[in-house]
Amino acid sequence: MKEISFGQSAALSGPHLFAAIVTRNEAGQANIMGVSWFSFVSMKDGKLLFCTSNKGYTGGVIQKTKKASLCMVTEDIKEKVLQCCTCSGSATNKIEAFGISLDTYDGFDVPVVSGAGVCWALELSDSMIAGDHTIYVMDVKKTILLEDKPHVMAFDGYKRLATV
Ligand SMILES: Cc1cc2nc3c(=O)[nH]c(=O)nc-3n(C[C@H](O)[C@H](O)[C@H](O)COP(=O)(O)O)c2cc1C
């Protein structure tokens, strides 16, 4: 037994879930960020939550537009989604910069990443600032399975994506 830091525990408690949050700002520009801190919240009235950094771009867009899509990431798209974790949508048009293709579907106000697995169309239900992140509770408006392929998880303290 030894005491470890909270930061170390984040790495050691992995692998962690991983998905792509897609948003669209008021001008219609789409953006993608990778997220590990997400969870199911309510099954009957479908709700999910995710936590985004108060320094990031995505949270501010959701506060304004109230909408997002969440996409499980397959091996086919993991490299491109990982690139979306390296910079901010406030400075970079990631869709153009990384050549990402998006698909639109009925019931989704925000597009999904082509080649993703399970995708959820989400609307903001509630948010709460929690330290350096904000918790977004999102109503699930529609759920689809784009590609029936295994999704990747985050290993080694969010450094590596692989299927289990
Ligand atoms: C595996 C992995 C998991 C991540 N999980 C989160 C997360 O749960 N919350 C968060 O705010 N950032 C997370 N990030 C970092 C964001 O994806 C990154 O800061 C991104 O550039 C934010 O984009 P934005 O500023 O366009 O919103 C993660 C990064 C990686 C590589």
Side-chain angles (χ1 to χ4, degrees), residues 31 33-37 51-53 57-58 85 87-89 94 158:
N31 183 60
M33 74 166 275
V35 65
S36 273
W37 295 0
C51 304
T52 69
S53 164
Y57 170 75
T58 295
C85 301
C87 56
S88 172
K94 302 183 200 177
Y158 313 107

Side-chain angles (χ1 to χ4, degrees), residues 68-79:
S69 295
L70 187 69
C71 308
M72 295 304 289
V73 175
T74 60
E75 284 281 353
D76 299 342
I77 60 169
K78 75 172 186 186
E79 295 305 334

